[in-house]
Amino acid sequence: MPSLPPHTTFAVTDFHHLVRNDLGLPLTDTQFEADFDELPDWDSLFLLKLVVLLERATARPVPVSRLFEARSLQEIYDRVVTP
């Protein structure tokens, strides 16, 4: 996914697309709010891959320490989009 210009927003639909298509997790909309323990095949490597994808997509660094506190993909989105 190409980087977005700094003034462009990164909508939740963009995030869902990134997770489903670039990360390869075919999740339903409701699974984005589920705890990581409830997601099929989720492991810590997905988190690392997601950080790289988010940094490319948003063209800004992702505060990894804030992501370790997140318990769902929705929480990750909220922490990345709302610094």
Side-chain angles (χ1 to χ4, degrees):
M1 175 176 266
S3 296
L4 300 170
H7 63 278
T8 305
T9 60
F10 187 69
V12 71
T13 54
D14 298 322
F15 181 65
H16 286 196
H17 177 83
L18 184 138
V19 169
R20 289 177 178 139
N21 298 304
D22 299 332
L23 196 58
L25 289 174
L27 303 178
T28 65
D29 286 348
T30 56
Q31 285 178 304
F32 280 84
E33 294 183 20
D35 190 271
F36 289 124
D37 293 337
E38 299 174 23
L39 298 181
D41 302 322
W42 179 264
D43 63 32
S44 58
L45 291 179
F46 279 117
L47 180 60
L48 297 174
K49 293 175 188 175
L50 184 57
V51 167
V52 172
L53 291 169
L54 285 169
E55 287 182 341
R56 287 182 187 157
T58 61
R60 62 180 185 244
V62 171
V64 177
S65 62
R66 293 179 74 203
L67 299 189
F68 287 132
E69 301 167 1
R71 291 301 311 152
S72 70
L73 287 165
Q74 183 62 49
E75 284 184 30
I76 286 178
Y77 174 78
D78 293 340
R79 290 166 194 261
V80 169
V81 173
T82 311

